[in-house]
Amino acid sequence: MNMNTWVENTKRNAWILAVGAALACPTLRAADAELAPMPLKLPIPAFMGTPTDIPLGDHIEKLSDKPRPPFMAPKGITNLAFKKKVSSSDKSPITGSLDLVTDGDKESNDNSFVELHRKTQWVQIDLGQEAKIYAVVLWHAHNTYQVYHDVVVQVADDPDFTSNVKTVYNNDYDNSSGLGVGTDKEYFETYEGRLMDAKGVEGRYVRCYSKGSTYSALNRYTEIEVWGLPAK
Ligand SMILES: [Ca+2]
Ligand SMILES: [Ca+2]
């Protein structure tokens, strides 16, 4: 092959690659187009500003002064947890009832949360079907500045969490709840709730653990949303 032929071949190969890339591109764009901002509705903020009396340790994420960016997720996903059955490690909550966790009210009112006893407690939602889960949004209580401890969110196929258990979030950095050391950050409760990227994990049951907060040893749950699609 002389030099000119080699140059021609190289040019032709480059052209073939360019055409190939152009043909592949619409496929990529189609995949992107199926994503849309998740239509999350936020409650009214109970307070604004920066807390002064909670020391920021290495484990606590700094409170952002900007709104959370929209979460991009597959078009058509819904809150599968809405009005679904809730169970708990605490059989007799101090105030409120477990149905408050999925009733759609996420305001910061005193009658909007269920309050569970001290130590590690959990609430669990039965989605009623296997689902592909893209986000869990969790509001403990956002009426005052506080950071909840040992926030662990798991998904499983069975209500006893023995089958196909997957951890979506774990900020129990010192393993004080015994579910394993978590590497996620502790965070301030706000009206935005905590949005956890579940990355399309599949399961029917969602369990959220906590072990009190910087404000109280008790465990409050205002609302949990589980955004996804039926798995089948
Ligand atoms: Ca609620
Ligand atoms: Ca801990």
Side-chain angles (χ1 to χ4, degrees):
M1 189 192 310
N2 66 31
M3 194 58 182
N4 282 344
T5 313
W6 182 82
V7 167
E8 284 309 309
N9 281 349
T10 305
K11 277 184 185 166
R12 195 186 64 213
N13 288 344
W15 184 82
I16 289 167
L17 282 175
V19 169
L23 286 174
C25 242
T27 319
L28 285 175
R29 280 198 210 103
D32 284 346
E34 287 164 20
L35 293 179
M38 196 172 84
L40 180 64
K41 287 200 175 65
L42 296 177
I44 296 165
F47 55 81
M48 298 296 262
T50 310
T52 51
D53 55 344
I54 299 175
L56 273 178
D58 287 347
H59 304 291
I60 305 178
E61 188 176 286
K62 198 168 170 285
L63 190 60
S64 172
D65 55 0
K66 295 183 186 70
R68 181 173 53 220
F71 183 71
M72 299 304 287
K75 236 176 177 172
I77 67 167
T78 59
N79 171 22
L80 302 170
F82 184 59
K83 301 274 185 186
K84 293 292 186 345
K85 194 174 178 294
V86 181
S87 54
S88 175
S89 53
D90 189 342
K91 303 304 172 210
S92 53
I94 298 167
T95 52
S97 53
L98 292 173
D99 59 307
L100 293 174
V101 177
T102 57
D103 70 344
D105 169 18
K106 41 200 159 180
E107 299 300 330
S108 60
N109 306 321
D110 282 347
N111 56 359
S112 293
F113 56 77
V114 60
E115 188 170 51
L116 311 178
H117 286 85
R118 56 180 62 232
K119 300 203 172 141
T120 306
Q121 302 285 356
W122 50 260
V123 293
Q124 177 175 315
I125 301 162
D126 177 2
L127 300 176
Q129 62 188 336
E130 280 285 312
K132 214 168 161 59
I133 301 165
Y134 292 94
V136 175
V137 195
L138 167 58
W139 291 261
H140 287 107
H142 59 97
N143 53 354
T144 185
Y145 279 115
Q146 58 186 316
V147 174
Y148 265 81
H149 302 304
D150 301 7
V151 177
V152 181
V153 176
Q154 292 182 330
V155 172
D157 289 346
D158 68 314
D160 297 324
F161 277 68
T162 58
S163 168
N164 209 10
V165 180
K166 281 148 291 193
T167 301
V168 169
Y169 197 89
N170 182 350
N171 69 13
D172 184 9
Y173 60 87
D174 57 0
N175 198 22
S176 48
S177 284
L179 294 155
V181 172
T183 55
D184 292 305
K185 289 283 189 190
E186 291 193 323
Y187 58 89
F188 287 93
E189 293 286 325
T190 73
Y191 73 104
E192 288 189 318
R194 185 64 169 189
L195 193 156
M196 297 152 181
D197 186 349
K199 300 183 170 73
V201 73
E202 291 192 13
R204 171 171 167 172
Y205 299 87
V206 179
R207 189 182 276 194
C208 300
Y209 294 85
S210 58
K211 193 183 181 185
S213 74
T214 49
Y215 171 73
S216 162
L218 306 175
N219 294 275
R220 290 178 176 176
Y221 285 84
T222 301
E223 190 77 6
I224 299 170
E225 295 185 347
V226 180
W227 288 79
L229 297 165
K232 281 149 204 143

